[in-house]
């Protein structure tokens, strides 16, 4: 067996050295790293849900995975804990398109529930909860268990500038391939493990763990600014500047909004007054931190 593994390593090295091939390695469990003396650590929790659809108000969780990990304040990951994984039978049959995407069918979840006390026990010690597309996972999980409302959250998809590091997409499978590994995707626990591996690796251009950049973004408060009742003719200018359209029933509804850093708040208000409204106005603003970011409260 050892000889076969050595042969595979030689073949992989030969392919890479040729310059004609890229070699992807199957994701393997990360070994723990000794925590240096004096390093302050925190417990992180990576979460992922599979659901019956995209609407957190109506659709249901059918699978939940959580993996705790210990990290330093500089973004180094030292050890990864035991995964939590649970399946849950929804009130209605699982749509065929969800089964095709996740591999989860009605037979797999029949009669199964996820123990809320066990979920709370795993999540309670976490100093930070992370998801890949946290605006999706957080809303489902806050409806599912109160413990997730008490935690600061971060997003490994939007709070790391993957494009600046040379990646061509932000889907987990794309990022994994760019980092040189592959895994069995679209099952919650595998997605969590892959995302933690991505956060643990040093970025090719920044030279620091991806988690370090994520923590920096997560710790920094932002301001949400709404362009209420903006002239219709200005929609393209707002969109080009990074504003997004809020078309749901949250407050304020049906208007453009943007999230900016604290240092950019006054410049953004000046832009709205001079370029959009042509007059002195006081747009609705709200300070947002990791305790509310990505939730239905924002």
């Amino acid at each position: 067996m050892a000889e076969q593994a050595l042969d595979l390593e030689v073949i992989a090295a030969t392919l890479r050295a040729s310059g004609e091939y890229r070699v992807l390695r199957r994701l393997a469990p990360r070994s723990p790293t000794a925590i240096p003396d004096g390093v302050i650590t925190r417990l992180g929790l990576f979460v992922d849900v599979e659901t019956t659809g995209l609407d957190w108000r109506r659709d249901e969780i059918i699978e939940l995975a959580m993996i705790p990990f210990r990290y330093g304040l500089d973004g180094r990951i030292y050890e990864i804990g035991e995964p939590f994984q649970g399946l849950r039978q929804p009130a209605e049959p699982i749509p065929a398109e969800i089964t095709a995407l996740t591999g989860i069918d009605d037979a797999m979840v029949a009669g199964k529930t996820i123990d809320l006390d066990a979920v709370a026990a795993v999540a309670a010690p976490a100093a930070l909860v992370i998801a890949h597309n946290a605006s999706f996972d957080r809303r489902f999980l806050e409806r599912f268990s109160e413990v997730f409302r008490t935690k600061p959250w971060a997003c490994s998809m939007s709070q790391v500038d993957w494009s600046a590091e040379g990646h061509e997409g932000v889907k987990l499978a794309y990022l994994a391939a760019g980092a040189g590994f592959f895994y069995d995707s679209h099952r919650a626990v595998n997605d969590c493990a892959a995302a933690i591996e991505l956060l643990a690796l040093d970025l090719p251009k920044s030279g620091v763990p991806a988690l370090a950049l994520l923590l920096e973004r997560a710790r920094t408060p932002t301001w949400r600014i709404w362009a209420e009742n903006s002239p219709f003719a200005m929609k393209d200018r707002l969109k080009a500047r990074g504003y997004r359209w809020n078309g749901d029933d949250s407050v304020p509804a049906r208007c453009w909004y943007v999230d900016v850093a604290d240092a950019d708040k006054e410049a953004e208000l000046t832009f709205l007054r001079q370029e959009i409204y042509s007059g002195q106005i006081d747009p609705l603003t709200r300070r947002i931190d990791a305790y509310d970011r990505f939730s239905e409260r924002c």
Side-chain angles (χ1 to χ4, degrees):
M1 197 70 179
E3 184 178 347
Q4 180 184 16
L6 180 59
D7 289 343
L8 291 174
E9 290 296 330
V10 171
I11 293 169
T14 302
L15 289 171
R16 284 194 297 266
S18 73
E20 299 296 325
Y21 299 89
R22 293 183 63 192
V23 179
L24 300 183
R25 184 183 300 274
R26 178 179 288 277
L27 177 63
R30 175 171 282 266
S31 299
T33 302
I35 301 173
D37 292 340
V39 170
I40 299 173
T41 65
R42 297 285 187 268
L43 189 68
L45 184 69
F46 207 100
V47 301
D48 187 54
V49 295
E50 303 295 347
T51 66
T52 57
L54 302 178
D55 187 346
W56 63 273
R57 298 176 183 86
R58 177 177 58 84
D59 294 310
E60 298 183 65
I61 291 173
I62 55 175
E63 183 179 30
L64 166 63
M66 304 184 289
I67 299 183
F69 62 95
R70 187 155 296 280
Y71 66 92
L73 300 184
D74 63 351
R76 294 287 172 191
I77 293 178
Y78 292 102
E79 58 186 32
I80 299 173
E82 289 296 317
F84 173 100
Q85 187 269 344
L87 293 168
R88 176 180 177 274
Q89 181 178 359
E92 301 291 336
I94 298 173
E97 60 270 22
I98 298 299
T99 296
L101 177 67
T102 66
I104 302 173
D105 59 23
D106 292 320
M108 291 175 61
V109 300
K112 294 187 176 179
T113 61
I114 298 174
D115 185 338
L116 290 177
D117 290 337
V119 170
V122 173
L128 181 67
V129 178
I130 308 174
H132 200 74
N133 193 8
S135 61
F136 177 84
D137 294 78
R138 180 168 193 170
R139 296 180 184 203
F140 274 95
L141 283 170
E142 285 194 344
R143 194 183 78 173
F144 186 66
S145 173
E146 187 68 24
V147 68
F148 293 106
R149 288 180 169 268
T150 69
K151 299 296 179 182
W153 280 67
C155 180
S156 59
M157 184 175 74
S158 64
Q159 291 187 296
V160 177
D161 192 345
W162 298 108
S163 177
E165 298 295 333
H167 290 276
E168 297 180 357
V170 295
K171 289 185 176 181
L172 271 177
Y174 295 165
L175 294 172
F181 68 90
F182 70 96
Y183 68 102
D184 297 325
S185 60
H186 293 305
R187 287 303 302 271
V189 72
N190 296 338
D191 286 347
C192 287
I196 292 173
E197 179 67 14
L198 285 166
L199 292 176
L201 295 174
D202 287 348
L203 292 165
K205 295 184 179 179
S206 301
V208 299
L211 181 61
L213 298 189
L214 182 145
L215 291 175
E216 182 180 355
R217 291 281 299 276
R219 293 164 181 153
T220 304
T222 55
W223 285 89
R224 178 159 295 181
I225 302 174
W226 287 272
E228 292 184 272
N229 301 314
S230 57
F232 180 79
M234 295 296 176
K235 65 180 180 64
D236 289 337
R237 294 201 64 184
L238 290 168
K239 187 175 181 180
R241 194 172 171 90
Y243 281 72
R244 290 172 285 178
W245 177 251
N246 173 30
D248 62 22
D249 57 1
S250 61
V251 179
R254 304 192 63 77
C255 68
W256 294 92
Y257 71 93
V258 71
D259 294 331
V260 299
D262 186 71
D264 299 325
K265 177 187 176 185
E266 290 306 317
E268 198 60 37
L269 294 176
T270 298
F271 162 78
L272 288 176
R273 290 165 181 150
Q274 294 181 354
E275 305 295 332
I276 302 301
Y277 295 99
S278 299
Q280 184 64 30
I281 62 158
D282 291 313
L284 179 64
T285 63
R286 180 181 175 184
R287 185 180 183 273
I288 297 175
D289 62 20
Y291 284 91
D292 285 328
R293 192 175 290 127
F294 308 117
S295 76
E296 47 84 18
R297 297 179 294 281
C298 294

